[in-house]
Amino acid sequence: MPRLLAALLFTSLTIPSSTAAPTANKSCDTIDDGYRCSPKTSHFWGQYSLWFSVPSDIDVDPPEHCDVSFASVLSRHGGRDPTMSKTLLYGATVGLIQNTTTSYPDEFAFLKDYKYNLGADLLTDAGRQEMVNSGAHFYRRYKDFLKGKEPFVRSSGQARVVESANKWLEGYAQAARKETGAIDVSIPEAAGVNNTLSHENCASFEDGPLSEIGDNAQDIWVAKFVPPIQSRINGKLGTNLSTTEIIYLMDLCPFTTLASPTARISDFCHLFTEDEWHQYDYYQSLGKWYGYGNGNPLGPTQGIGYVSELLARLTEKPVQAVGSINSTLDTDPASFPLDRKVYADFSHDNDMTAVLAALGLYNNTTPLSNTTIETAKQTKGYSAAWTVPFAARIYVEKLSCKKVKEEYVRIIVNDRVQPLDFCGGDRYGRCKLSKFVESQSFTRTGGHWDQCLNAS
Ligand SMILES: *[C@@H]1O[C@H](CO)[C@@H](O)[C@H](O)[C@H]1NC(C)=O
Ligand SMILES: *[C@@H]1O[C@H](CO)[C@@H](O)[C@H](O)[C@H]1NC(C)=O
Ligand SMILES: *[C@@H]1O[C@H](CO)[C@@H](O)[C@H](O)[C@H]1NC(C)=O
Ligand SMILES: *[C@@H]1O[C@H](CO)[C@@H](O)[C@H](O)[C@H]1NC(C)=O
Ligand SMILES: *[C@@H]1O[C@H](CO)[C@@H](O)[C@H](O)[C@H]1NC(C)=O
Ligand SMILES: *[C@@H]1O[C@H](CO)[C@@H](O)[C@H](O)[C@H]1NC(C)=O
Ligand SMILES: *[C@@H]1O[C@H](CO)[C@@H](O)[C@H](O)[C@H]1NC(C)=O
């Protein structure tokens, strides 16, 4: 064979992928690091951010001489289309622009022929891939420990959550090279159902003044940060978009990005500056903090049911019934076993925000102000993008370490190790199990659930 031909064949046989798939089509999402395209803006989309590995001050690898002895994950569903009510509003906003604009200058040019065609409520292909990646991410982290064990899996009942659990199982199985497992328990989301993965049963939290604190905090901030953006956009397009419609236009960046199978950054994202995305992230963080987190008098209380279940699993002791735990489910080993070592639960951003608050993880965070901007870094690791992006994952692990009889607990939120200073967390972020349980008195004493009964 002529040398040149051999060389050509050799070349095409060894590096086919680099020629077949141009980098422009490569997904921005990876198993280890999550979403990595344009991080200076894409990591500031609040809870609409695609999952990314959050930087950790503490090494995320278990310390030397320690072995994992328990692993659990509480996961948000993957990236989705807008909810039904929002998809109609977003479509109308695009329609309004197209009906009233006088010109489409510069970065707005794409809007001229843009056709709004987003669906509603369900995962997108990019969101499904996030969950497949998440299952593989969990498997890779706990690989050695997971040999011979199966996760016990529960899902809240909404379609996108159930599908997320199944996609996670698929990614887990692919990484483990075995058959895909199944969801063990799915808990319906409906009024009157006790579901620790979906809030609904605390009337005084769901309705009345407490249900408006989040929106009110956001409104105050909107009145500050949106007007300059509004003037710029209306000035360019010749439109008269309201502050709310400007927010919708910003929301369209993550949602149209998620509509691309490879999650290619959408043209909507280029309509706003880096600073504006930081302000938007703060807007979304305010909604979570005051709506479901420490900023809401009954926010943390919504998370106590799940935390109580977590304590039961960590200590292998019967569940203490608090909040909206379903005792029928949680006293039955078929639906709530205590002797398993690997657990996976699937839920929503608001519920996870309440669980993080019940755990007390952000008790030392300076309360978010509704009048001045603070970035994620300035608020000690709290932002909606760092805590509950699409496909968010809270890992709780136990470590068994040489020469120490008692096990340790660590909590890892989206790859960021939490310091657990409230139970004597050491430089590895570890607390002794008994100290951790002790620290969770808020849950063990039922939070403020008594105030839930005083529903108006
Ligand atoms: C890459 O993307 C372009 C435009 O999005 C598309 O036309 C093309 O078919 C894609 N190529 C591959 C190999 O997927
Ligand atoms: C835009 O104009 C079309 C045609 O006149 C009309 O059907 C539609 O309702 C308008 N949409 C909005 C959002 O104003
Ligand atoms: C508790 O769970 C059982 C078993 O799934 C179910 O039949 C019952 O309706 C649930 N009760 C509440 C209040 O959620
Ligand atoms: C916003 O902050 C101001 C000043 O701290 C406070 O008085 C007000 O109650 C806050 N509003 C909300 C909705 O949290
Ligand atoms: C722009 O909209 C506001 C309400 O959002 C309205 O009060 C105002 O009159 C409108 N301006 C024009 C020029 O249409
Ligand atoms: C459901 O939760 C309520 C508290 O909201 C509790 O009183 C009730 O006993 C729970 N039901 C079950 C089946 O555990
Ligand atoms: C967090 O703060 C709440 C309210 O002050 C308190 O009840 C709870 O015990 C704290 N949690 C931890 C883990 O310190």
Side-chain angles (χ1 to χ4, degrees):
M1 188 188 294
R3 190 175 287 180
L4 182 62
L5 181 55
L8 278 173
L9 272 176
F10 183 71
T11 305
S12 64
L13 280 173
T14 49
I15 49 164
S17 59
S18 68
T19 48
T23 47
N25 292 34
K26 252 175 83 176
S27 175
C28 286
D29 200 11
T30 68
I31 293 173
D32 289 335
D33 298 329
Y35 201 72
R36 274 290 170 260
C37 291
S38 307
K40 285 184 179 165
T41 54
S42 70
H43 293 181
F44 294 89
W45 296 346
Q47 70 277 11
Y48 300 148
S49 307
L50 285 86
W51 183 83
F52 57 93
S53 179
V54 174
S56 184
D57 298 334
I58 299 172
D59 189 354
V60 75
D61 288 332
E64 252 185 283
H65 311 304
C66 291
D67 293 316
V68 174
S69 53
F70 172 102
S72 77
V73 54
L74 173 61
S75 167
R76 187 186 179 196
H77 58 76
R80 56 161 169 79
D81 274 319
T83 53
M84 181 56 90
S85 57
K86 285 288 181 64
T87 209
L88 298 173
L89 292 164
Y90 296 160
T93 301
V94 170
L96 182 66
I97 292 173
Q98 291 175 335
N99 280 5
T100 56
T101 190
T102 51
S103 67
Y104 294 99
D106 314 323
E107 67 273 27
F108 295 88
F110 81 96
L111 276 172
K112 188 164 190 284
D113 300 314
Y114 175 75
K115 283 198 172 53
Y116 184 83
N117 60 4
L118 299 187
D121 292 324
L122 300 178
L123 300 183
T124 65
D125 282 343
R128 292 181 178 100
Q129 191 59 46
E130 278 190 293
M131 294 312 298
V132 171
N133 288 354
S134 177
H137 189 84
F138 184 85
Y139 184 80
R140 284 184 184 184
R141 173 168 180 80
Y142 294 114
K143 196 171 186 279
D144 298 333
F145 170 64
L146 293 172
K147 287 222 174 70
K149 302 182 188 73
E150 289 298 328
F152 186 83
V153 180
R154 297 187 308 170
S155 175
S156 198
Q158 204 180 342
R160 64 171 175 264
V161 186
V162 170
E163 190 181 8
S164 291
N166 284 318
K167 287 289 162 191
W168 186 93
L169 282 162
E170 218 176 285
Y172 181 100
Q174 278 168 20
R177 298 175 192 282
K178 56 186 186 186
E179 276 180 38
T180 306
I183 297 170
D184 296 284
V185 180
S186 172
I187 309 173
E189 289 182 20
V193 174
N194 291 18
N195 182 347
T196 54
L197 302 172
S198 176
H199 67 94
E200 207 145 2
N201 278 359
C202 176
S204 42
F205 172 77
E206 301 293 332
D207 311 306
L210 293 191
S211 67
E212 288 161 19
I213 300 179
D215 291 344
N216 294 345
Q218 285 185 308
D219 287 347
I220 294 169
W221 176 234
V222 163
K224 263 195 102 97
F225 94 93
V226 178
I229 307 176
Q230 187 184 20
S231 313
R232 177 172 60 80
I233 303 241
N234 281 334
K236 286 217 165 187
L237 291 174
T239 46
N240 186 26
L241 300 175
S242 67
T243 50
T244 307
E245 284 153 355
I246 296 295
I247 297 278
Y248 292 162
L249 208 53
M250 297 188 89
D251 292 347
L252 278 167
C253 154
F255 285 114
T256 50
T257 296
L258 276 161
S260 149
T262 53
R264 199 168 60 88
I265 292 257
S266 127
D267 291 331
F268 283 96
C269 306
H270 305 308
L271 303 181
F272 306 94
T273 67
E274 219 174 286
D275 275 350
E276 289 166 356
W277 285 117
H278 291 194
Q279 293 162 358
Y280 174 85
D281 194 46
Y282 195 67
Y283 161 79
Q284 300 294 11
S285 301
L286 282 169
K288 296 302 161 198
W289 181 265
Y290 287 103
Y292 300 88
N294 291 46
N296 190 299
L298 285 183
T301 294
Q302 307 312 306
I304 61 174
Y306 183 82
V307 174
S308 184
E309 292 178 332
L310 177 67
L311 296 175
R313 287 167 167 180
L314 286 167
T315 57
E316 302 191 14
K317 291 195 178 122
V319 182
Q320 189 194 339
V322 297
S324 64
I325 278 177
N326 181 334
S327 304
T328 312
L329 281 177
D330 283 13
T331 52
D332 182 350
S335 47
F336 200 85
L338 290 169
D339 58 350
R340 303 287 285 261
K341 303 287 182 195
V342 189
Y343 297 95
D345 291 306
F346 296 85
S347 176
H348 297 273
D349 54 348
N350 294 339
D351 305 280
M352 289 174 68
T353 299
V355 166
L356 293 170
L359 286 166
L361 293 186
Y362 302 101
N363 271 13
N364 290 335
T365 300
T366 315
L368 276 69
S369 157
N370 53 34
T371 49
T372 53
I373 182 161
E374 300 173 60
T375 64
K377 205 173 168 195
Q378 290 165 327
T379 54
K380 289 198 186 160
Y382 187 86
S383 80
W386 277 26
T387 52
V388 292
F390 286 125
R393 55 208 72 163
I394 304 168
Y395 293 169
V396 178
E397 63 188 24
K398 278 201 289 184
L399 298 171
S400 172
C401 304
K402 263 201 193 118
K403 293 187 185 157
V404 183
K405 196 152 169 251
E406 192 177 1
E407 286 171 308
Y408 289 96
V409 174
R410 290 213 306 174
I411 301 184
I412 299 162
V413 179
N414 301 317
D415 283 356
R416 180 176 171 84
V417 180
Q418 302 300 306
L420 304 191
D421 29 27
F422 51 71
C423 51
D426 63 11
R427 63 195 176 102
Y428 304 110
R430 300 176 305 181
C431 274
K432 294 271 175 66
L433 175 60
S434 59
K435 291 281 175 209
F436 178 72
V437 173
E438 210 174 284
S439 76
Q440 297 303 302
S441 58
F442 181 77
T443 286
R444 289 187 291 102
T445 56
H448 301 309
W449 194 263
D450 54 330
Q451 293 173 29
C452 286
L453 306 176
N454 301 332
S456 51

